Amino acid sequence: MNLAESKVGERAIYHPGASSIEGFPTTLQLFHGHPPIMLRPHWHAQIEVNYIMRGSVHYRMGSHDLQLDAGQMCLFWGGQPHQMDRSSDDSIYAGAHLPLVYFFRMRLPAAVSGMLMRGTTMLTSATDSADDENFPRWYRYVTSGDTLKAQHAVEELLLRVERMFIEHYSIVSSDNRIVNDNPSISLSDSVVRMCDFIADNFLEEIDAGDIASAASLHPKYAMNLFRKTTGMTLIKYLTLLRLSRAQAMLVSGNGSILQIAMDSGFGSVSAFNKAFRLIAGMAPSDFRREVRSAAV
């Protein structure tokens, strides 16, 4: 994590950067430690897994607030702007950022992906002491430099996320509905192939036709399949990956807005500005200025 010490209350503050999750939107990353608060909402193109080991944290999501206490685990779509605005002094959390290519390889209830993409949080209190041991171990394995250990950690983590939907879980949204669901779905290999291609090429000049071709599908069918599976369009996902990368470059780099637009896969500054305003509510230049002034 990219941390800086705040002069207000000496609290650890999270700042996005080119070396943090926003800068690598197609990379699976695990984390473990004290969760720092965020000065403003951020976004990234992965599913986020949070397990609260001690203390409590509070998130401001797009459509709801989320209080998490020790022993609770949740999943949410990082593509919605979100902000951890409270973190108790004793809080410890662990978890991961899962690129969609990993997420769609799991056996999950059919409705889960669409609900997550629309801003719903999946929450469970069905955890135990094994989670207290496993989450830190998975983090150690992934950061050990040992390829075999890292592979085992990722496989175990994905199985743990699958198990969340076999047991009781809650759906937290603006209306706080609670449901039980049946974990039975076999997602199309075509969606996985599309995600693979997007992950490898999102900084290049690609469009829906290129993505569909990589999965040997007709463009219209590919777009409908992706939207039905994920709850968002191919182009929206592609744009979000590019915006996540651009967000990190704006915070930690000194390149011009034009250079950042080009380096993050946008064909023009106008297209970049329009897409950035839709998610951040401000121009890229204003975002850079506001984040840097807050860090001083």
Side-chain angles (χ1 to χ4, degrees):
M1 286 188 174
N2 183 17
L3 302 183
E5 290 302 318
S6 170
K7 295 181 180 179
V8 181
E10 299 297 323
R11 295 297 301 273
I13 304 295
Y14 179 81
H15 295 296
S19 63
S20 54
I21 190 62
E22 299 86 2
F24 294 91
T26 61
T27 301
L28 189 154
Q29 295 186 21
L30 275 73
F31 53 85
H32 172 236
H34 174 64
I37 61 172
M38 301 173 181
L39 295 176
R40 59 170 297 109
H42 81 142
W43 62 90
H44 49 80
Q46 300 97 346
I47 299 293
E48 184 162 339
V49 183
N50 278 192
Y51 172 56
I52 310 304
M53 301 180 64
R54 194 172 70 204
S56 63
V57 300
H58 182 270
Y59 274 108
R60 294 175 61 187
M61 300 294 192
S63 64
H64 59 277
D65 286 359
L66 181 66
Q67 173 76 26
L68 295 172
D69 299 313
Q72 292 187 307
M73 184 170 71
C74 74
L75 260 67
F76 62 86
W77 169 231
Q80 61 173 328
H82 56 282
Q83 178 184 8
M84 183 183 287
D85 59 352
R86 294 200 300 271
S87 173
S88 65
D89 291 338
D90 64 338
S91 62
I92 298 292
Y93 79 160
H97 298 98
L98 302 178
L100 291 190
V101 68
Y102 287 91
F103 181 70
F104 288 140
R105 286 190 167 103
M106 291 190 288
R107 297 160 295 183
L108 299 176
V112 164
S113 60
M115 287 190 290
L116 284 172
M117 299 307 163
R118 289 190 290 272
T120 298
T121 299
M122 306 298 179
L123 175 68
T124 184
S125 298
T127 60
D128 52 38
S129 59
D131 292 312
D132 288 335
E133 296 179 4
N134 287 332
F135 273 95
R137 177 174 59 81
W138 295 334
Y139 174 77
R140 292 196 307 271
Y141 275 17
V142 165
T143 57
S144 68
D146 186 315
T147 303
L148 183 59
K149 283 186 175 181
Q151 181 180 348
H152 273 275
V154 170
E155 291 175 355
E156 289 182 19
L157 169 67
L158 297 180
L159 286 171
R160 178 61 185 94
V161 174
E162 287 183 3
R163 182 161 67 85
M164 175 177 172
F165 294 95
I166 296 175
E167 300 170 331
H168 179 79
Y169 66 95
S170 302
I171 292 176
V172 183
S173 60
S174 56
D175 57 3
N176 294 312
R177 290 178 298 120
I178 297 178
V179 304
N180 291 310
D181 217 329
N182 295 316
S184 58
I185 183 172
S186 178
L187 285 167
S188 169
D189 289 339
S190 298
V191 173
V192 174
R193 290 199 299 272
M194 285 189 279
C195 287
D196 278 333
F197 180 79
I198 295 171
D200 290 339
N201 299 279
F202 73 97
L203 296 178
E204 308 299 326
E205 293 185 13
I206 60 172
D207 57 22
D210 299 318
I211 299 167
S213 179
S216 302
L217 299 175
H218 186 278
K220 185 175 181 180
Y221 177 78
M223 289 187 288
N224 288 336
L225 176 63
F226 194 87
R227 184 172 60 250
K228 181 179 179 180
T229 302
T230 69
M232 63 180 167
T233 67
L234 276 171
I235 298 304
K236 182 175 181 180
Y237 177 52
L238 174 61
T239 301
L240 186 57
L241 289 175
R242 291 169 172 170
L243 287 172
S244 184
R245 177 63 179 167
Q247 175 189 197
M249 295 170 70
L250 284 166
V251 172
S252 60
N254 295 313
S256 66
I257 300 299
L258 172 60
Q259 189 63 52
I260 291 173
M262 298 299 106
D263 289 348
S264 54
F266 289 90
S268 68
V269 172
S270 60
F272 175 47
N273 283 334
K274 181 179 180 181
F276 198 92
R277 281 181 179 276
L278 283 175
I279 191 169
M282 64 180 71
S285 56
D286 294 334
F287 176 85
R288 168 186 267 175
R289 188 181 309 111
E290 184 173 313
V291 170
R292 290 188 175 182
S293 64
V296 175

